[in-house]
Amino acid sequence: MAMPAWAQQGGMPTGTDATILVVGTRDKPAMDRPNATGSRLGLTPLETPASITSLDGDLVRARGDQSIVEAETRAPGLSSVANPGNGGTALAARGFSGQGSVLQLIDGVRLFPAAGTITFPTDPWMVERIDVLSGPASVLYGQGALGGAVNVVMRKPTARTEGQAEIGYGAQDSVRLAAGIGGPAGATLGYRLDASYRRSDGYVDRGDSHSFALSGTVKWTPSPRLAVTIRGDHGDQRPIGYFGTPLIDGRLDPAIRTRNYNVGDGRMRFRDDRASVQVDWTPSAAVSVSNIAYYLTSDRFWRNLESYCWVGTNGTCANGESGTPGTIRRSDNYGIRHDQTQWGDQASVTLRTPLAPGIANALVVGVDANLVRFTHENDFGSDAQVDAVDPFAFDPGRFLDTQGIAPRYRTRTVALAVFAEDRVTLGQKWSVVGGFRYEEDQVRRWAIAYPGGTRTDRFAFEKTFRNATWRAGIVYQPRPTLSLYGQYATGVDPLATLTTVSSGQVQFGNAKGNQVEMGAKWLFLGGRGTATLAAYRIVKTGLLAQRTLSSPVEQVGQRSAQGVEAAVSVDLPQGFGIDANATMLDARFDDFRSGGADYSGRTPPNVPEALGNLWLRWDATARMQARAGLRYVGRRFSDNADAFRIPGYATVDAALSYALSPRMAVDLRVYNLFDKAYAVTAYGDQQWILGRPRSLDLGLRATF
């Protein structure tokens, strides 16, 4: 076969033509590049005394990750606990799980979960990179970040005009279409536009899903010292209406792997919109000012029959409910709507001051203000829908609602914070980094009733949480490409969700925690290799505990996690590359009693104690690239007593890419190559949310 000139040269060409295959060091951002997620001072990961991982957006798309969560859980120490109730976005990190312990951010802006739910963003097409800050991040971003913080950085305008497009089709009649373009629009203007559409019939009965995402950015730079960025994002999702597969006699039966026990007219829809204006001003080399104002809205809707259990020969389910032996008992007909609006502003000033030869100081101080209004609608007063169906063949039926979905309570949350971060460099090798944040969160709640058919809003309570968090760390760089560090940090987690705190939690404060961490970071082989190692111990106190059945509920418990995380990424000769990470940890309740039961020594729910990811890449020729990825998640438990075990699993994905030209490539991907039946997480003690079976996907990518 005659080969074009660019292929005969033995390597991909340089310049704009080299972008169609993701090769070499472009698989990862440089460790010595400033990263704003781990520090507001613009420090590089090598200069920051904390664990920071960055996943490049091009790499995420090259691997074929179907969602933001899939991509995030490729990072060290992160696992998915996503389910329909939390919006399909919740994570576990360093022994702590859920929206109240692993904070979610967009472009550095904190997202406030409501009733444990966040639904934006979800589409990897929009991502420039994903940053993961492991361990307590409350000093930077506020309460709800003891396990860590994940920042999704969206695509921005580029210095030159460039566009990308992608079309794909695969198993389960899955279709994806995406396109984006950005670049300069004059001497002082830049822009970026992106759109993405996905649909699938799903891997269970009646498992169809649809999503559409749109974003646009305009950046005005009237001078080298001033930049104004305006951004808008829109997301509209109709996720798969699947709440899990019930176990039969405590085991997963392959015969019902594709069954969906939800009602036939079950429904979910999430609509999110975001707008922001950011101003960055640098009046001098020593002073910089930044301010971002933002507005977010979320409209979420659920109407489903959510719980399913196998009725054994004794006529009872594992949860103690009774039913007809040999059937699946279905229950919990819930109709819910969330109406949430968040306004916010974050402003900061950075001062950089030389103090003496070889000694300098950098200080950032700022304020963070947020207002969140939330209304919870439901039909929890409806007649209960309970039935029994044959596990293998049944009529899914229709949703029962005898009350109607209507507003039942609303809240108003005001979060105000001041923060500061400081770094002192002591010569070229030593630096000390510290930070402080004081935050006040006021929540007001109203109960909504309908006496005589007329809506009445009754003030229920007001609660103010006050918390101060801090961190201090030291970094030693024996040479510019090697860092050794140690850090002590404190953090705060809410008992449930800040914006939906209940009357039963008013008398308590937030749970508090602290972490000790030590680690090393190494950039080697001239930037073609990176390695990180971190060891940590986190202690969280202030859990709700009940000493005996007759004792009052008290805030006295404690849980902890200690572990080791390691990662290495190397670009080898002959076009080979490897990315690997592994996590081992010991998470446990140290002191926790509830309902007369003592859970001390048990592993908390939804926490795997072993995790690993391995990706191999081979650039076989200038036109062909192969990838293979292994994901391992250790066993977990779905309850406090560790009575219900979720087995660990390992899955393998593979991809083959062929460049038809310098600007067009075809991708063949196989997900779950060995068709492993596994549970991503649980929705109840014996109801597993299964992962995607073996699936083939064919795509075409182009740049222009």
Side-chain angles (χ1 to χ4, degrees):
M1 176 183 295
M3 298 180 66
W6 64 270
Q8 295 177 14
Q9 295 171 0
M12 293 294 291
T14 60
T16 60
D17 291 344
T19 60
I20 195 63
L21 295 180
V22 180
V23 298
T25 56
R26 288 185 294 115
D27 272 10
K28 51 192 174 293
M31 192 179 285
D32 58 353
R33 186 177 303 163
N35 187 299
T37 301
S39 169
R40 299 185 190 277
L41 291 168
L43 306 182
T44 70
L46 284 169
E47 297 169 334
T48 305
S51 296
I52 303 171
T53 302
S54 288
L55 302 171
D56 182 70
D58 288 335
L59 174 60
V60 167
R61 289 179 285 275
R63 290 174 173 175
D65 290 326
Q66 299 290 298
S67 67
I68 298 288
V69 168
E70 281 190 26
E72 291 169 339
T73 52
R74 304 288 189 185
L78 284 187
S79 62
S80 172
V81 291
N83 65 52
N86 58 44
T89 60
L91 300 164
R94 291 198 168 181
F96 300 88
S97 64
Q99 308 285 18
S101 291
V102 184
L103 194 66
Q104 311 260 1
L105 308 138
I106 300 179
D107 291 331
V109 172
R110 166 186 173 188
L111 298 176
F112 283 77
T117 306
I118 290 176
T119 52
F120 188 76
T122 60
D123 198 314
W125 180 260
M126 309 295 179
V127 173
E128 182 174 301
R129 72 174 191 274
I130 299 173
D131 293 335
V132 178
L133 174 60
S134 299
S138 295
V139 68
L140 290 172
Y141 304 112
Q143 56 87 31
L146 195 59
V150 180
N151 184 24
V152 178
V153 181
M154 310 295 269
R155 280 177 161 174
K156 304 291 194 300
T158 51
R160 64 186 181 193
T161 300
E162 55 185 23
Q164 305 84 24
E166 184 176 55
I167 182 172
Y169 179 81
Q172 297 97 43
D173 200 22
S174 300
V175 176
R176 69 181 187 280
L177 303 168
I181 188 170
T188 61
L189 282 178
Y191 73 97
R192 177 76 198 185
L193 297 172
D194 286 284
S196 176
Y197 170 77
R198 296 173 184 264
R199 70 158 305 278
S200 175
D201 286 347
Y203 51 88
V204 296
D205 301 332
R206 306 178 312 284
D208 57 295
S209 62
H210 304 261
S211 71
F212 175 71
L214 182 67
S215 69
T217 305
V218 175
K219 185 175 183 179
W220 179 47
T221 311
S223 74
R225 297 183 181 275
L226 178 65
V228 180
T229 305
I230 302 174
R231 182 176 181 90
D233 296 278
H234 170 73
D236 189 343
Q237 305 174 66
R238 299 175 186 262
I240 179 173
Y242 168 64
F243 284 77
T245 301
L247 305 185
I248 294 182
D249 292 328
R251 293 179 175 85
L252 176 63
D253 188 337
I256 65 170
R257 183 176 175 183
T258 61
R259 295 291 179 267
N260 184 357
Y261 294 93
N262 198 356
V263 289
D265 59 345
R267 184 184 172 200
M268 284 190 288
R269 187 173 185 181
F270 309 143
R271 286 175 289 186
D272 299 89
D273 291 282
R274 168 181 176 256
S276 65
V277 178
Q278 180 169 339
V279 179
D280 297 292
W281 179 44
T282 308
S284 69
V287 179
S288 59
V289 180
S290 180
N291 187 91
I292 181 170
Y294 43 89
Y295 173 74
L296 303 94
T297 64
S298 295
D299 181 4
R300 313 180 184 109
F301 181 77
W302 297 260
R303 188 188 63 199
N304 305 277
L305 191 59
E306 299 186 2
S307 298
Y308 330 115
C309 67
W310 164 255
V311 183
T313 56
N314 62 355
T316 61
C317 291
N319 61 9
E321 299 288 349
S322 60
T324 304
T327 64
I328 301 296
R329 182 184 189 273
R330 305 191 304 172
S331 59
D332 294 338
N333 50 316
Y334 293 146
I336 300 171
R337 167 166 264 136
H338 291 176
D339 181 4
Q340 181 177 352
T341 303
Q342 176 183 342
W343 296 267
D345 190 273
Q346 186 182 104
S348 63
V349 178
T350 303
L351 306 173
R352 304 181 186 277
T353 309
L355 301 178
I359 302 176
N361 186 80
L363 170 69
V364 59
V365 294
V367 295
D368 194 353
N370 286 274
L371 170 63
V372 183
R373 295 184 183 273
F374 174 72
T375 300
H376 192 283
E377 303 180 23
N378 62 65
D379 66 348
F380 294 169
S382 171
D383 292 345
Q385 183 175 4
V386 180
D387 62 15
V389 299
D390 183 274
F392 308 101
F394 59 93
D395 178 359
R398 300 183 64 82
F399 184 78
L400 174 67
D401 181 4
T402 60
Q403 184 190 39
I405 300 172
R408 309 296 174 184
Y409 71 86
R410 62 182 178 90
T411 65
R412 179 181 183 272
T413 304
V414 177
L416 302 173
V418 293
F419 57 84
E421 186 179 1
D422 190 79
R423 177 179 187 246
V424 178
T425 54
L426 306 171
Q428 295 183 345
K429 296 183 178 181
W430 292 91
S431 62
V432 179
V433 180
F436 176 82
R437 181 185 181 100
Y438 177 77
E439 182 170 336
E440 287 195 5
D441 302 319
Q442 181 196 71
V443 185
R444 306 185 75 193
R445 178 165 173 152
W446 289 261
I448 302 175
Y450 299 87
T454 302
R455 171 171 167 167
T456 301
D457 293 29
R458 179 182 58 83
F459 180 73
F461 62 80
E462 177 183 310
K463 174 69 175 180
T464 300
F465 301 89
R466 297 179 176 88
N467 297 286
T469 54
W470 61 278
R471 73 173 181 178
I474 189 168
V475 178
Y476 172 59
Q477 293 185 260
R479 56 178 183 263
T481 57
L482 176 64
S483 289
L484 307 175
Y485 71 90
Q487 179 198 182
Y488 179 85
T490 65
V492 172
D493 277 358
L495 296 180
T497 303
L498 174 65
T499 56
T500 49
V501 63
S502 67
S503 57
Q505 299 162 340
V506 171
Q507 59 183 309
F508 304 106
N510 288 325
K512 296 179 173 60
N514 61 79
Q515 173 189 260
V516 177
E517 178 180 348
M518 295 182 293
K521 305 171 188 178
W522 185 26
L523 183 65
F524 57 95
L525 294 180
R528 292 186 294 111
T530 63
T532 62
L533 177 67
Y536 63 87
R537 175 174 169 79
I538 302 176
V539 176
K540 179 178 179 178
T541 60
L543 306 181
L544 296 184
Q546 190 176 23
R547 297 293 176 177
T548 67
L549 282 172
S550 58
S551 299
V553 176
E554 302 172 286
Q555 198 168 19
V556 295
Q558 175 179 302
R559 61 184 283 187
S560 64
Q562 54 190 6
V564 177
E565 296 170 351
V568 63
S569 180
V570 186
D571 293 316
L572 301 170
Q574 305 301 316
F576 288 95
I578 181 172
D579 287 278
N581 61 69
T583 299
M584 297 292 294
L585 64 95
D586 177 18
R588 64 177 59 199
F589 290 118
D590 300 310
D591 176 19
F592 186 49
R593 296 172 176 85
S594 180
D598 187 353
Y599 300 118
S600 300
R602 304 291 187 181
T603 302
N606 302 317
V607 175
E609 295 185 304
L611 292 162
N613 290 280
L614 172 65
W615 274 97
L616 303 176
R617 190 196 74 248
W618 180 35
D619 302 323
T621 70
R623 305 181 72 174
M624 185 174 293
Q625 180 184 81
R627 292 179 184 269
L630 169 70
R631 183 199 299 270
Y632 174 75
V633 177
R635 67 101 174 96
R636 298 137 289 159
F637 299 97
S638 61
D639 67 316
N640 289 333
D642 295 354
F644 297 97
R645 180 177 180 269
I646 308 172
Y649 65 89
T651 59
V652 175
D653 301 327
L656 184 66
S657 298
Y658 182 77
L660 303 173
S661 75
R663 293 184 178 275
M664 183 173 293
V666 61
D667 302 311
L668 179 66
R669 298 188 179 97
V670 182
Y671 300 92
N672 194 1
L673 180 63
F674 300 107
D675 201 24
K676 174 72 174 178
Y678 66 98
V680 177
T681 187
Y683 197 78
D685 290 332
Q686 292 207 354
Q687 184 175 323
W688 292 354
I689 295 179
L690 303 182
R692 192 182 186 192
R694 180 168 52 224
S695 303
L696 185 69
D697 183 277
L698 184 65
L700 182 68
R701 287 183 292 122
T703 62
F704 52 89

